Amino acid sequence: MQKIKLSHFTCNYKYQYFGHQKNLVLSNSLGTNYSMWDDNIKFLSLHFNILRYDSRGHGASTINQSTASISDLGADVLELLKFLKLEQVYFCGLSIGGLVGQWLAIHYSGSFEKIIISNTAAKIGTLESWNARIKQVSEFGLSSILEPTAARWFTLAYRKQFPQKVEAILDDFENTSIEGYMASCRAVSEADFRTQLKQIKIPVLIIVGTQDEVTTKADGEWIQKQVPLAQLVGLDAAHLSNMEHPAAFANHIIVFTKN
């Protein structure tokens, strides 16, 4: 476990050097920690050194405020990269991590070679739906939404085939800091990049889950139409497509970053 005190929180991260020139940052989804990428590492490590980190209030990272924005979370990535002095950096973020990726691509494209955004949208949900979720977890805890979370994150086939993996990530979800979860919900509720995507000047890969009911295939296709240098690929998965198809997910990244 590696930790660094950044400007606004103590960040738990894991940097693995595999002898490559390319560095890949992996950014987790809401309510998870960097272990969500475990099944992807054996494939990605053949091509990249890998930086994983727990976002504010997730995993073993701390949080010191009740609200956060996607720009705050993006600035955390830039500060961590500066501390580690990494070059030839690629970024991959899923869900809220995909929102962070969009913000980085819009505002700091010069810091990245290419960006991958997965299972995300330019605008995720509505303010009303996020406020309802915040109210739910503030009153009854994260355990009160475990069942619908599992259904959103994984297809029924995956849940039946890999019940232990599902149970493990739901345990991580239930143990996420309530303050961290609600702050990130507020960040997602306020994020809207629909008018800014045309500004992105670097190549972007969009990975969608064809069974994702949270951030749909149509959401990914809409982003593709807005971003000048965007590609889109689909996986037969729900929201956590990297877990449902770890090899295929990794291969899409590898192919996209070859040139």
Side-chain angles (χ1 to χ4, degrees):
M1 187 177 292
Q2 300 160 288
K3 291 189 177 183
I4 176 178
K5 186 166 179 53
L6 299 180
S7 297
H8 300 286
F9 75 112
T10 298
C11 180
N12 181 56
Y13 71 95
K14 185 172 186 177
Y15 178 65
Q16 294 169 284
Y17 179 73
F18 294 107
H20 305 296
Q21 289 185 319
K22 296 178 180 179
N23 293 286
L24 176 65
V25 183
L26 298 173
S27 184
N28 55 285
S29 65
L30 178 66
T32 68
N33 57 56
Y34 71 52
S35 70
M36 68 170 280
W37 301 102
D38 283 352
D39 290 345
N40 306 110
I41 301 303
K42 66 180 179 181
F43 307 106
L44 294 171
S45 63
L46 300 176
H47 301 268
F48 306 95
N49 310 314
I50 299 174
L51 171 61
R52 292 182 279 170
Y53 70 99
D54 293 336
S55 57
R56 296 188 194 190
H58 286 64
S61 288
T62 63
I63 190 164
N64 303 308
Q65 67 268 62
S66 60
T67 62
S69 66
I70 296 300
S71 60
D72 292 332
L73 302 182
D76 294 340
V77 175
L78 296 171
E79 189 175 2
L80 183 57
L81 288 173
K82 183 178 180 181
F83 168 76
L84 294 173
K85 298 182 172 63
L86 299 184
E87 298 178 349
Q88 290 196 35
V89 178
Y90 299 78
F91 179 94
C92 174
L94 190 148
S95 193
I96 187 175
L99 289 172
V100 173
Q102 290 173 67
W103 184 86
L104 292 170
I106 292 165
H107 297 284
Y108 289 91
S109 60
S111 299
F112 300 90
E113 302 287 334
K114 295 181 179 180
I115 283 181
I116 301 96
I117 57 174
S118 174
N119 299 85
T120 195
K123 171 68 177 170
I124 302 177
T126 64
L127 182 60
E128 293 75 19
S129 65
W130 286 109
N131 283 341
R133 188 182 301 187
I134 290 168
K135 185 175 186 295
Q136 170 80 16
V137 300
S138 67
E139 293 179 358
F140 303 105
L142 289 169
S143 60
S144 68
I145 58 171
L146 282 180
E147 187 173 333
T149 296
R152 286 194 300 268
W153 281 3
F154 303 107
T155 60
L156 180 60
Y158 185 87
R159 280 178 275 152
K160 287 183 175 180
Q161 187 175 1
F162 300 104
Q164 291 180 326
K165 289 184 179 294
V166 173
E167 183 179 356
I169 200 165
L170 289 178
D171 284 345
D172 287 340
F173 177 81
E174 189 173 7
N175 290 319
T176 299
S177 155
I178 289 288
E179 292 78 11
Y181 185 83
M182 292 194 299
S184 292
C185 285
R186 294 185 181 102
V188 176
S189 73
E190 296 170 357
D192 186 349
F193 299 119
R194 287 176 290 187
T195 63
Q196 298 172 279
L197 292 176
K198 292 184 185 296
Q199 302 173 25
I200 297 175
K201 305 301 182 186
I202 60 173
V204 173
L205 175 65
I206 307 153
I207 302 176
V208 299
T210 58
Q211 298 191 54
D212 188 349
E213 297 179 358
V214 180
T215 51
T216 65
K217 180 183 177 184
D219 288 325
E221 291 171 339
W222 193 89
I223 294 175
Q224 183 186 23
K225 292 177 182 177
Q226 307 305 309
V227 178
L229 299 174
Q231 302 175 33
L232 183 141
V233 294
L235 294 170
D236 183 17
H239 196 53
L240 298 191
S241 63
N242 74 300
M243 290 188 63
E244 292 213 44
H245 298 286
F249 188 98
N251 189 61
H252 284 311
I253 295 174
I254 293 163
V255 171
F256 174 65
T257 58
K258 271 189 175 178
N259 299 323

